[in-house]
Each structure stands twice: as structure tokens, then as C-alpha cells.
Amino acid sequence: MSSIKENNIAVIISGTGRTLKNLIEKSKKGLLLANIAIVISSKKDVLGIKIAREAGIETVVIDRRNFDDDRSFSEQITKTIDEQSKKLVLSGQGPIRLIVMAGFLHKYLIPKKYRLKVMNIHPALIPSFCGKKFYGERVHQAVWKRGVKVTGCTVHFADNMYDHGPIILQKAVPVFDDDTPESIAQRVFKVECKLYPRAINLFFKGKLSVRNGRVFIKE
Ligand code: GRF
């Protein structure tokens, strides 16, 4: 297993940064086998940037509104990650080895070199309640309205479709009669806080392999 210093990740965010905050906290407790080497935000002035700065992490804003299409926006993200990666290598640390989407609300068109190196977490059990329309509170509202008895969260490798790539981990939670979308959201997020670091750690322990679109976890 490589050292944490070499397990550099780029975290890409769009908002409140609760997922980022959790990763920072886990990292401080030694529960994340990764070093957050850069945080890229698609929106300026969001709480996530403040959280990153307070933790002493380099931040870059790449405002989606300044780009005409997904391609040019994605290219700028890749360029920024590559530059940071180069700096890290020159300073004796490894490159950025994983890109972690943390409440990232746009499409990032993944270049070939980062295929199966981009992770996302979705607050539902994929393939239910996922895709372009389902983000943030909308997911839990739809879950509540449909009256499903279980929901949960999914960590997966991202591809170029929303919430679509190979599934790494899923965890179900019950939905109770007296739940509200808010109480469901809270229950799911609590589980997310453990599941995402676990998936990232499995990646850096070299335990994940992908065959025919399915992820296998080596014991
Ligand atoms: C979580 O529900 C997560 O599953 C989804 O974004 C939400 C967190 O956003 N990907 P944030 O970290 O609070 O910005």
C-alpha cells in the first residue's frame, strides 16, 4: 500500500461542501487513506470553498457559467488537476490519483487517462432516483413521494452519464411511515459519511477491480 502522502485526490464540489467536510474530518482522524490536494468548485462563494480554505487546502473556482459547453468546462477542470498533479510530482509527492465528486452538480467529461479514477456518491440506491433530474433534496422528495420502503446511497465510478458508472458500494436505509424528505436526507447522509471514505480507502488499498462494468472487491 502506498503512503497517504502519495494518495493525492482532487475534490470537485458545487455547494455546501458537507461531503468535503466529512472527508476532511475523516482525514484528520486518520480514517481516510488520501490527501486532499486540491478542491475545485464550479461555483464561487459557496460554503465548500470556505471549508477547504479553513483546512488549508488549495482551492480553485472554475465557474460553469463561464463556459459554453460541458467539453470546455471539463477541459479546464482536467487542465487544473493536471497542473496541480505536476506540482505535486515536482515536490516529491505522487500525482493526483483519484478525482472525488462531492456534491458536484455538473457533467465532467472524463478524459481517457482518468477513466475509473473519478468517484461519485449519489444519495439513493442507483438505478433508482438517479440521473440528471435527481440531485440534492429532489432525490429525497421523490423517494418520500413514491413511498419506497428502503432508500440509501451509492458510491460509483463516474462515467460520462449522470449517476451511471460501475457501482462500488451501496448501503440501504429504511424509510419509515412518519419520515419526511428531510429526515430521510439526514439518515442517508449519515450513512454517506462512512461509505464514501470506505470506497476511497478501498481504491487506495488496491482492492477494486472492474470487469464488464462490474466492480469486484478483493478481500
Ligand atoms: C449528497 O447528498 C451527496 O450524495 C451528493 O451531494 C450531496 C452533498 O452535497 N452527491 P454537499 O457535499 O453538501 O455539497
Side-chain angles (χ1 to χ4, degrees), residues 15-20 102-103 120-123 189 192:
T16 54
R18 289 173 309 146
T19 310
L20 169 68
N120 182 43
I121 187 158
H122 182 71
F189 191 70
E192 286 186 36

Side-chain angles (χ1 to χ4, degrees), residues 3 27 35 66 73 91 123 133 137 151 160 168 186 203 205:
S3 83
S27 162
N35 172 49
N66 294 339
F73 173 64
S91 72
K133 288 185 301 178
E137 296 316 311
T151 184
N160 289 341
I168 302 167
Q186 271 178 25
F203 176 89
K205 284 180 183 167

Side-chain angles (χ1 to χ4, degrees), residues 70-203:
D70 292 336
R71 184 158 303 280
S72 53
F73 173 64
S74 303
E75 279 168 5
Q76 188 58 33
I77 292 179
T78 302
K79 193 172 157 232
T80 306
I81 291 171
D82 285 348
E83 279 167 8
Q84 184 71 357
S85 211
K86 218 169 163 186
K87 270 199 249 166
L88 290 163
V89 171
L90 286 172
S91 72
Q93 297 182 55
I96 287 171
R97 294 175 56 200
L98 182 69
I99 299 166
V100 173
M101 292 176 161
F104 184 71
L105 295 177
H106 311 277
K107 191 165 271 184
Y108 169 49
L109 298 172
I110 301 166
K112 216 169 176 183
K113 63 181 167 187
Y114 290 136
R115 222 176 266 168
L116 298 179
K117 291 188 170 65
V118 182
M119 266 187 205
N120 182 43
I121 187 158
H122 182 71
L125 296 174
I126 290 175
S128 290
F129 305 104
C130 66
K132 195 170 167 45
K133 288 185 301 178
F134 291 104
Y135 61 88
E137 296 316 311
R138 290 175 182 216
V139 178
H140 306 294
Q141 267 154 17
V143 160
W144 177 80
K145 201 169 168 200
R146 184 63 184 86
V148 292
K149 303 300 183 195
V150 286
T151 184
C153 54
T154 305
V155 182
H156 65 97
F157 283 116
D159 62 13
N160 289 341
M161 286 163 76
Y162 284 110
D163 306 324
H164 183 262
I167 291 169
I168 302 167
L169 293 172
Q170 290 187 300
K171 180 95 183 157
V173 302
V175 179
F176 301 114
D177 291 350
D178 59 354
D179 263 323
T180 59
E182 293 72 29
S183 63
I184 297 168
Q186 271 178 25
R187 191 172 305 123
V188 170
F189 191 70
K190 212 168 157 197
V191 172
E192 286 186 36
C193 287
K194 285 194 177 161
L195 207 70
Y196 215 2
R198 217 173 108 204
I200 294 168
N201 290 348
L202 286 168
F203 176 89

